[in-house]
């Protein structure tokens, strides 16, 4: 059989090179046949049922056990699942017969929908309105997918059936343990916790522990003994920190205080030997950082995190990319299976449009060239993000063939599924991709709106696009209507962000009424619309951590309760803001007249670590009586009130206070400073510092002065 496959593949390539290619699918009728084996016959049955359900013409689709009774005006479609095929799939196409051969059942499912959608283009009686465009042509070819493991982790791909249609992997159906989640299956027991600096800590595990191994073994036996013969996948990864166990047993495996890889790899090798039908992985991240002295089992492998790789299209002379490749090379002698845990989202803003596909294509091409076999693309996951349906489709296609054109894929997708708005959507999205690629700068994986608008987002183009899209919405129906309503709900968040950042200026969200700053009518309208979207379940979250839109909206609706007086400090009077390393910080939020949102350190806060210095010009405090400084408190993100605030004039302290904030449950600390004893005609330096080793970050939203 292997010899036949080699000969068959060579024949196809010869056939194609001779120019006798044929890709015309149109025919009067179609007869499905299959190789005489159970798997191929199941594929025939699957394809027949799905084509028949979609066909409005009786007799268009039929099936036969052989090819002897096929009429001259019928096209035979012959399917075959051949596990020993040299390629992932092969297509042989003549006028009379289309022969499809694939290596696995999963590829057969993908190929089925490629064929169904393509047939729908030539036979309008076959309804494929709900299917994304096919990405292959049915001409003579034998091809391999560019990556063995392909998972674009956007919300559409979390649907198991849709993932199968796209030919992608799905962690919910394929993984018994994923990510840093062994803690979900382990029970507290003697010996499972790590020893760090001579002390036992429950922040990390001891991976040489017999108890830990036995618990994992029992969990797999009890829950996955009846899974498919190709098995499940398990990620055995340390907790998400830098701690490494250095007990005697772990040190004997090769562990150091900075590298837990030896004990981790020995554990997954032990599990891999016990369960040969399954695959076991760990992740090169944090405490797993140097290759051990021994090799992985054949059914074990490694995920590499690309968290340090800038999201940029130009990989030539890119030192970060080269460092990643050098690390991968160092691990290649230990395992034949290397996948990447890649990233494709701004995890602090899922809803503002992000041009990520050009970067993805360039980096996938680079990964493929270096021998990477799989990619898990960590994106917005189960949460909605703007254009996530397009990105799922294009990312899936690129993981199959990195040479596909983004413009072609994007326009085809929108034209198929957004018949009324496709031109507008494609023009806007692709222009955004092209504009960002020209900048040759990376986008941040964790960026607030102030950074977003200087990185990849053009507010004016967005507002124009948003207005045009709203005018098209009434003309749409079905999937297009539902998808656009969700997209426009996301855009209401972005519109509010734009208005927030414009403050009390033109197009801003705020107005001053009776000497109080409050959201204006336009902002309140958007707030009410977005609240309605949330209540109706159209959209729920705007970022990965603490991202509930209800919490965001609560900051807007309670803003008037702050009874904020207009800030009398003009922006130009705040000369500079410096970090503890004398880096110049963006000071614009400190005198924009708008207070920060306490639920989000990106929303109106200037952030510094341990120390912050502000310089006010001479005259800034003239005829002013009080200064107010508001500091963010957030234990999770290490923000707290400062330990000391001092004001210096001519190098001498004129005000100083030590702060001992013991109030729990409050999200903001406000310091009021009397300005009576300060000179108005000299430069003032405000020195803010923290001595809190655990909560050392400073967040300041506004330097407010009042008369």
């Amino acid at each position: 059989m292997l010899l036949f496959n080699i000969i068959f593949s060579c024949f196809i390539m010869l056939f194609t090179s001779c120019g006798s290619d044929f890709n015309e699918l149109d025919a009067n009728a179609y007869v499905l046949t299959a190789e005489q084996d159970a798997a191929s016959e199941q594929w025939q049955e699957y394809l027949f049922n799905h084509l028949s359900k979609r066909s409005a013409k009786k007799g268009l689709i039929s099936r036969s056990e052989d090819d002897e009774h096929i009429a001259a005006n019928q096209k035979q479609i012959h399917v075959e699942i051949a596990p020993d095929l040299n390629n992932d799939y092969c297509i042989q196409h003549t006028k009379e017969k289309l022969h499809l051969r694939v290596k696995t059942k999963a590829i057969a499912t993908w190929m089925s929908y490629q064929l169904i959608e393509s047939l729908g283009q030539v036979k309008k009686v076959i309804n494929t309105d709900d299917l994304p465009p096919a990405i292959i042509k049915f001409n003579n070819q034998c091809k391999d997918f560019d990556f063995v493991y392909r998972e674009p982790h956007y919300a559409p791909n979390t649907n198991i059936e849709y993932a199968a249609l796209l030919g992608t992997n799905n962690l919910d159906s394929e993984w018994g343990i994923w990510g840093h989640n062994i803690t979900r299956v382990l029970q507290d027991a003697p010996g499972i916790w790590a020893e760090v600096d001579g002390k036992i800590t429950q922040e990390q595990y001891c991976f040489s522990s017999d108890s830990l191994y036995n618990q994992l073994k029992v969990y797999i036996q009890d829950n996955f003994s009846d899974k498919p013969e190709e098995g499940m996948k398990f990620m055995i990864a340390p907790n998400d920190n830098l701690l490494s166990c250095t007990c005697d047993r772990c040190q004997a495996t090769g562990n150091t205080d900075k590298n837990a890889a030896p004990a981790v790899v020995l554990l997954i090798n032990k599990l891999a030997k016990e369960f040969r039908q399954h695959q076991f992985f760990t992740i090169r991240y944090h405490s797993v950082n140097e290759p051990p002295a021994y090799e992985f089992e054949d059914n074990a492998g490694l995920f590499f995190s690309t968290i340090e790789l800038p999201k940029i299209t130009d990989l030539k002379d890119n030192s970060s990319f080269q460092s990643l490749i050098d690390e991968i090379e160092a691990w290649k002698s230990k395992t034949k299976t290397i996948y990447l845990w890649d990233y494709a989202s701004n995890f602090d803003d899922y809803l503002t449009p992000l041009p990520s596909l050009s970067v993805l294509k360039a980096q996938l091409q680079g990964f493929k060239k270096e021998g990477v076999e799989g990619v898990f693309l960590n994106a917005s996951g189960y949460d909605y993000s703007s254009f996530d349906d397009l990105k799922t489709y294009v990312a899936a296609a690129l993981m199959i063939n990195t040479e596909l054109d983004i413009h072609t894929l994007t326009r085809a997708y929108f034209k198929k599924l957004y018949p009324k708005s496709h031109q507008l959507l494609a023009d806007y999205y692709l222009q955004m991709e092209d504009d960002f690629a020209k900048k040759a700068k990376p986008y941040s994986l964790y960026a607030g709106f102030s950074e977003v608008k200087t990185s990849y987002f053009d507010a004016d183009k967005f507002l124009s696009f948003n207005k045009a899209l709203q005018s098209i919405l009434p003309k749409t129906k079905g999937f297009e209507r539902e998808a656009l309503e969700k997209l426009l709900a996301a855009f209401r968040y972005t519109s509010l962000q734009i208005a927030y950042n414009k403050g009390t200026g033109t197009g801003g969200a705020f107005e001053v009424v009776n000497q109080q700053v409050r959201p204006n009518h336009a902002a309140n309208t958007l707030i009410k619309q977005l609240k309605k979207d949330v209540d109706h379940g159209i959209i729920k979250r705007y970022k990965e951590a603490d991202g509930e839109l209800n919490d965001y909206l609560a900051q807007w609706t309670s803003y008037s309760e702050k009874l904020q007086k207009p800030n009398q400090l003009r922006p130009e009077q705040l000369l500079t803001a410096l970090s503890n390393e004398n880096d110049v910080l963006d000071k614009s939020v400190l005198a924009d007249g708008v207070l920060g949102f306490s639920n989000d350190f990106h929303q109106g806060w200037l952030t510094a670590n341990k120390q912050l210095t502000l310089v006010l010009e001479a005259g800034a405090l003239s005829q002013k009586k009080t200064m107010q400084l508001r500091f963010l408190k957030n234990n999770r993100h290490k923000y707290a009130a400062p330990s000391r605030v001092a004001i210096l004039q001519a190098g001498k302290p004129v005000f100083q206070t030590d702060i001992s904030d013991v109030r729990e449950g409050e999200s903001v600390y406000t310091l009021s400073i009397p300005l009576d004893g300060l000179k108005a005609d000299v430069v003032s330096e405000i020195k803010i510092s923290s001595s809190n080793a655990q909560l050392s970050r400073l967040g300041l939203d506004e330097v407010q002065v009042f008369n």
Side-chain angles (χ1 to χ4, degrees):
M1 189 66 176
L2 178 60
L3 178 61
F4 173 79
N5 285 331
I6 295 172
I7 296 171
F8 182 86
S9 298
C10 293
F11 171 76
I12 292 295
M13 289 184 284
L14 177 62
F15 193 90
T16 303
S17 65
C18 291
S20 300
D21 214 3
F22 189 86
N23 58 21
E24 179 55 62
L25 286 170
D26 195 16
N28 290 334
Y30 304 90
V31 180
L32 303 183
T33 59
E35 286 292 295
Q36 293 182 350
D37 61 82
S40 299
E41 289 170 353
Q42 286 174 4
W43 183 13
Q44 177 197 28
E45 180 78 9
Y46 179 89
L47 186 56
F48 173 77
N49 289 337
H50 284 267
L51 271 171
S52 298
K53 289 176 184 177
R54 292 174 176 272
S55 175
K57 182 180 178 182
K58 187 176 181 180
L60 180 65
I61 311 296
S62 62
R63 53 186 165 174
S64 176
E65 294 183 1
D66 56 55
D67 55 4
E68 295 180 0
H69 302 95
I70 298 175
N73 62 348
Q74 294 178 320
K75 181 183 284 288
Q76 179 186 4
I77 300 176
H78 188 76
V79 297
E80 178 181 356
I81 296 178
D84 55 353
L85 190 65
N86 285 340
N87 302 96
D88 285 325
Y89 69 89
C90 282
I91 299 172
Q92 182 183 6
H93 198 175
T94 66
K95 184 177 180 181
E96 296 79 19
K97 182 178 180 179
L98 174 64
H99 189 174
L100 304 177
R101 309 179 81 224
V102 300
K103 185 177 285 188
T104 68
K105 292 180 181 179
I107 298 174
T109 301
W110 169 79
M111 181 65 77
S112 295
Y113 283 101
Q114 293 292 300
L115 178 62
I116 291 170
E117 201 283 328
S118 297
L119 287 173
Q121 297 305 308
V122 297
K123 288 293 184 186
K124 298 305 179 184
V125 293
I126 299 176
N127 183 4
T128 62
D129 291 346
D130 61 318
L131 299 182
I135 64 169
I136 64 170
K137 301 295 184 183
F138 283 86
N139 52 3
N140 296 316
Q141 56 182 297
C142 284
K143 294 287 181 65
D144 287 317
F145 294 157
D146 282 350
F147 297 98
V148 174
Y149 190 92
R150 307 173 300 280
E151 184 165 2
H153 194 46
Y154 293 99
N157 200 75
T158 63
N159 181 306
I160 295 173
E161 292 182 356
Y162 189 64
L165 181 156
L166 292 176
T168 54
N169 296 87
N170 176 281
L171 67 88
D172 291 317
S173 63
E174 299 179 37
W175 290 84
I177 302 174
W178 172 254
H180 303 278
N181 287 318
I182 59 171
T183 184
R184 295 183 181 181
V185 304
L186 295 175
Q187 302 295 320
D188 189 3
I192 71 167
W193 302 113
E195 180 182 317
V196 178
D197 295 330
K199 297 179 181 179
I200 300 299
T201 175
Q202 293 192 2
E203 294 183 42
Q204 192 55 271
Y205 291 103
C206 170
F207 287 89
S208 65
S209 163
D210 291 333
S211 176
L212 187 145
Y213 167 75
N214 288 328
Q215 286 195 51
L216 291 172
K217 177 182 175 181
V218 169
Y219 171 75
I220 295 169
Q221 285 176 332
D222 289 351
N223 293 280
F224 302 101
S225 60
D226 60 344
K227 290 301 173 182
E229 50 188 49
E230 62 264 25
M232 298 288 288
K233 302 176 182 69
F234 299 87
M235 185 169 287
I236 310 300
N239 286 343
D240 194 358
N241 58 48
L242 295 170
L243 300 179
S244 171
C245 182
T246 51
C247 71
D248 291 343
R249 291 185 66 172
C250 282
Q251 287 193 66
T253 69
N255 270 25
T256 68
D257 61 348
K258 293 182 173 56
N259 184 31
V264 173
V265 174
L266 278 182
L267 173 63
I268 68 170
N269 275 351
K270 194 173 179 181
L271 290 167
K273 290 176 183 177
E274 181 71 28
F275 302 102
R276 286 295 182 188
Q277 76 274 33
H278 298 312
Q279 290 179 283
F280 295 86
F281 295 83
T282 191
I283 182 170
R284 161 58 188 93
Y285 185 66
H286 279 347
S287 62
V288 176
N289 48 63
E290 294 290 337
Y294 28 81
E295 297 181 8
F296 287 59
E297 288 293 309
D298 288 344
N299 58 326
L302 182 74
F303 272 83
F304 254 87
S305 169
T306 66
I307 191 74
E308 301 296 334
L309 181 63
K311 309 310 290 182
I312 193 169
T313 57
D314 186 8
L315 301 183
K316 186 179 180 181
D317 301 322
N318 185 320
S319 59
S320 296
F321 183 75
Q322 190 55 53
S323 295
L324 175 66
I325 298 309
D326 290 344
E327 277 205 75
I328 290 174
E329 286 297 323
W331 285 83
K332 276 185 177 180
S333 63
K334 306 302 179 184
T335 178
K336 64 180 183 180
T337 306
I338 292 180
Y339 298 164
L340 293 186
W341 185 313
D342 198 20
Y343 303 84
S345 188
N346 176 0
F347 295 96
D348 281 333
D349 185 349
Y350 285 155
L351 303 182
T352 300
L354 168 69
S356 59
L357 293 177
S358 297
V359 171
L360 176 64
K361 175 174 178 174
Q363 296 197 345
L364 286 177
Q365 289 177 327
F367 299 153
K368 176 192 172 185
K369 183 179 178 181
E370 298 300 332
V372 171
E373 294 187 342
V375 178
F376 170 78
L377 190 65
N378 190 13
S380 48
Y382 303 96
D383 297 319
Y384 174 77
S385 61
S386 296
F387 297 109
D388 65 356
D389 60 328
L390 168 73
K391 292 181 178 183
T392 303
Y393 168 74
V394 175
L398 291 173
M399 289 178 182
I400 288 172
N401 181 358
T402 61
E403 298 302 319
L404 293 174
D405 180 67
I406 290 173
H407 280 244
T408 301
L409 291 169
T410 298
R411 291 197 180 279
Y413 181 84
F414 281 138
K415 187 173 184 180
K416 177 79 188 291
L417 295 168
Y418 295 78
K420 298 294 184 184
S421 58
H422 69 90
Q423 190 72 49
L424 180 65
L425 290 166
D427 287 350
Y428 173 76
Y429 185 81
L430 291 173
Q431 186 64 59
M432 188 169 57
E433 285 281 353
D434 292 345
D435 289 346
F436 180 66
K438 290 174 185 175
K439 289 185 177 182
K441 294 181 179 179
Y443 65 81
S444 173
L445 299 177
Y446 295 92
F449 195 77
S450 295
E451 182 180 350
V452 164
K453 66 182 183 180
T454 61
S455 174
Y456 57 80
F457 181 70
D458 186 311
D460 291 336
K461 289 181 179 178
F462 167 83
L463 291 172
S464 176
F465 166 64
N466 185 35
K467 184 178 180 180
L469 197 58
Q470 288 175 345
S471 68
I472 289 178
L473 182 66
K475 305 173 185 176
T476 64
K477 60 183 179 180
F479 170 84
E480 182 177 18
R481 179 64 171 257
E482 183 179 341
L484 289 184
E485 285 177 345
K486 185 169 282 193
L487 186 62
L488 288 169
F491 287 178
R492 280 187 265 281
Y493 165 82
T494 299
S495 298
L496 275 171
Q497 290 295 86
I498 294 170
Y500 176 94
N501 277 262
K502 291 183 178 180
T504 57
T506 303
F510 301 92
E511 62 183 357
V512 179
V513 177
N514 297 327
Q515 288 301 295
Q516 286 188 10
V517 180
R518 67 183 191 186
N520 58 29
H521 176 72
N524 282 323
T525 299
L526 281 171
I527 292 165
K528 290 177 183 177
Q529 290 174 330
L530 185 54
K531 176 61 174 162
K532 187 177 179 181
D533 295 328
V534 173
D535 290 344
H536 289 177
I538 295 174
I539 194 169
K540 292 290 186 183
R541 298 175 61 83
Y542 70 100
K543 62 172 185 166
E544 181 183 45
D546 303 324
E548 294 293 329
L549 277 168
N550 269 330
D551 294 338
Y552 170 79
L553 289 167
Q555 295 290 318
W556 280 102
T557 55
S558 65
Y559 195 96
S560 296
E561 299 171 9
K562 294 179 173 62
L563 304 178
Q564 177 196 355
K565 295 188 293 184
N567 191 359
Q568 295 178 13
L569 181 70
R570 300 192 307 275
E572 66 271 16
Q573 292 178 311
L574 178 56
L575 298 179
T576 191
L578 301 172
S579 71
N580 62 329
E581 297 177 346
N582 284 324
D583 291 331
V584 177
L585 305 175
D586 180 6
K587 61 185 177 66
S588 60
V589 298
L590 296 181
D592 61 357
V594 178
L595 301 181
F597 285 6
S598 60
N599 73 315
D600 189 343
F601 64 84
H602 281 310
Q603 192 79 5
W605 301 91
L606 175 66
T607 294
N609 193 42
K610 295 184 179 180
Q611 188 171 315
L612 175 63
T613 300
L614 310 175
V615 182
L616 304 182
E617 72 174 12
L621 304 181
S622 178
Q623 299 182 355
K624 305 299 187 296
K625 296 180 180 179
T626 307
M627 176 186 295
Q628 275 193 0
L629 304 177
R630 285 183 11 123
F631 297 98
L632 181 64
K633 295 170 62 177
N634 184 315
N635 287 351
R636 175 175 179 173
H637 295 291
K638 312 301 182 186
Y639 287 92
S643 305
R644 174 173 293 182
V645 175
I647 301 179
L648 284 68
Q649 291 185 328
K652 297 180 180 179
V654 293
F655 171 86
Q656 181 172 300
T657 183
D658 292 327
I659 299 170
S660 179
D661 177 27
V662 295
R663 289 170 292 184
E664 298 291 336
E666 295 184 0
S667 56
V668 172
Y669 178 88
T670 303
L671 175 66
S672 293
I673 301 173
L675 301 177
D676 312 19
L678 277 66
K679 297 179 181 179
D681 57 348
V682 296
V683 171
S684 300
E685 279 188 278
I686 305 172
K687 297 279 190 179
I688 304 167
S689 59
S690 172
S691 59
N692 189 329
Q694 301 300 318
L695 305 173
S696 61
R697 299 181 80 182
L698 297 167
L700 177 65
D701 68 346
E702 192 83 355
V703 180
Q704 300 179 91
V705 296
F706 310 110
N707 57 21

